[in-house]
Amino acid sequence: MSTKTAPAPSDAAPAEEKAKGGGKKKILLIVLVLALVAGAAWFFLLRPSGEAEPEAVPGEVLVLEPVQINLAESHYLRIGVALQLIEGAHELDGSKALDAVIEIFSGRSTEELTKPAGRHKLKKELSHVLEESYHGEVMGVYFTEFVTQ
């Protein structure tokens, strides 16, 4: 009598199944990470930002009379200013602008005003103040006269 014995299940089969299952998990994890990275990239780089504020169109230029301002050390500044209005801006009163000019430039040293960086900083400050004072109807400031003595 010959007896055939059934082959004993080897330990290699379960290890092979575990390796296949582990590979699937790795692939699934990689796909998930790539999806998260792609979503984050779209959110931070490509998503449309909210409604863009329409840019103001330049309108008239309102030229104000030059004024003399007392500076430090008995010097003075004669400054003329022009305001770039947005299109459709109502007739503006220049008194707010002249008041801001006097407030910002009074008491400054001539050295600060003769350096281009100092003038640029003060012009930027003046532009910001005027934009707030005139509720966005002024979009730029120009110096038409700037003489120190």
Side-chain angles (χ1 to χ4, degrees):
M1 251 190 344
S2 80
T3 59
K4 288 189 180 180
T5 58
S10 68
D11 291 335
E16 198 174 290
E17 287 178 21
K18 285 182 184 177
K20 287 181 182 176
K24 288 180 183 177
K25 286 181 183 177
K26 284 182 185 177
I27 291 173
L28 183 62
L29 184 62
I30 290 171
V31 169
L32 181 63
V33 168
L34 287 175
L36 286 173
V37 168
W42 176 83
F43 182 78
F44 290 110
L45 301 175
L46 302 175
R47 75 179 166 135
S49 58
E51 292 182 25
E53 195 173 303
E55 290 188 30
V57 177
E60 293 181 41
V61 175
L62 176 63
V63 180
L64 303 176
E65 290 293 320
V67 293
Q68 290 186 13
I69 299 172
N70 292 326
L71 300 176
E73 301 171 0
S74 300
H75 294 281
Y76 73 90
L77 167 68
R78 182 168 173 85
I79 185 169
V81 177
L83 308 177
Q84 176 70 61
L85 307 178
I86 63 170
E87 187 175 13
H90 306 290
E91 187 67 31
L92 298 181
D93 178 23
S95 59
K96 289 180 190 177
L98 292 176
D99 183 58
V101 167
I102 293 168
E103 190 70 31
I104 291 171
F105 287 90
S106 289
R108 303 284 178 164
S109 68
T110 54
E111 289 128 16
E112 183 179 5
L113 297 177
T114 56
K115 294 180 183 175
R119 271 195 317 272
H120 179 72
K121 178 184 160 231
L122 293 170
K123 186 176 187 178
K124 195 172 185 178
E125 182 181 339
L126 177 62
S127 181
H128 178 72
V129 168
L130 295 179
E131 191 173 302
E132 287 181 2
S133 296
Y134 289 107
H135 308 290
E137 291 187 329
V138 173
M139 64 182 295
V141 178
Y142 308 110
F143 293 145
T144 58
E145 192 172 332
F146 200 93
V147 180
T148 58
Q149 187 174 12

